[in-house]
Amino acid sequence: MAKYSKNIYEQMVLAAKKAYPNECCGILVGKKSEQSETEVTEIREAENQFQGQKAVHFKIDPLYLYHLEQELDPRGLEIVGIYHSHPDCPAILSKEDEKYMVPGLEYVIMSVQNGEVVDVKSYKKAMPPLNRNN
Ligand SMILES: [Zn+2]
């Protein structure tokens, strides 16, 4: 579980409420550490670029991520995770979520029922071992 302040948490909750009944999505920005937990220092709302049912899926523009990384790098910050909401669904990973999860990134899912955030959960896929045989 990543560490984030109450302020960051409230910003995510607000984004989820605002997007309801659609899914919100955004980026967790911070510092990764081998020794301790990932620290989230700010969040960036991203546009849900998914063409179609925005209530059940989200997509973030890869170009947006590219430009964000360019901006963060000189500040010693990086993309450490992604948050999104599940309108009227539990805060568990969907099949799609699992399929597109990037190892090492933190995934925060918020369950929104009737416009209120009722549950927040965080997931992370382990890094695959490096293949040094080639
Ligand atoms: Zn999802």
Side-chain angles (χ1 to χ4, degrees):
M1 183 92 181
K3 271 193 300 188
Y4 44 82
S5 66
K6 193 164 182 282
N7 182 31
I8 298 266
Y9 176 83
E10 275 164 7
Q11 284 178 48
M12 286 194 292
V13 165
L14 201 67
K17 287 163 82 163
K18 212 169 66 184
Y20 185 86
N22 290 327
E23 283 197 13
C24 75
C25 55
I27 312 296
L28 303 174
V29 171
K31 283 178 188 153
K32 270 190 225 164
S33 158
E34 294 288 316
Q35 282 77 36
S36 62
E37 288 168 298
T38 301
E39 199 186 335
V40 180
T41 55
E42 58 192 274
I43 64 162
R44 295 296 175 90
E45 277 185 56
E47 197 190 330
N48 187 350
Q49 291 239 322
F50 187 68
Q51 302 294 317
Q53 268 270 53
K54 286 187 174 42
V56 291
H57 198 59
F58 75 99
K59 185 174 179 284
I60 297 171
D61 185 357
L63 211 55
Y64 173 80
L65 297 178
Y66 172 80
H67 287 299
L68 183 58
E69 275 177 343
Q70 307 282 311
E71 183 210 313
L72 296 173
D73 193 53
R75 295 168 58 203
L77 297 170
E78 58 184 325
I79 294 170
V80 295
I82 290 174
Y83 69 87
H84 73 284
S85 63
H86 282 179
D88 299 312
C89 283
I92 52 172
L93 290 167
S94 68
K95 283 233 154 58
E96 290 273 302
D97 289 338
E98 244 170 311
K99 190 173 160 191
Y100 293 108
M101 253 179 130
V102 177
L105 284 189
E106 198 80 31
Y107 284 78
V108 173
I109 301 181
M110 294 171 281
S111 171
V112 193
Q113 309 275 354
N114 297 316
E116 291 296 326
V117 174
V118 294
D119 195 17
V120 180
K121 289 213 161 63
S122 188
Y123 303 88
K124 200 174 189 174
K125 189 151 114 186
M127 286 285 207
L130 285 174
N131 185 357
R132 296 184 188 276
N133 297 327
N134 46 20

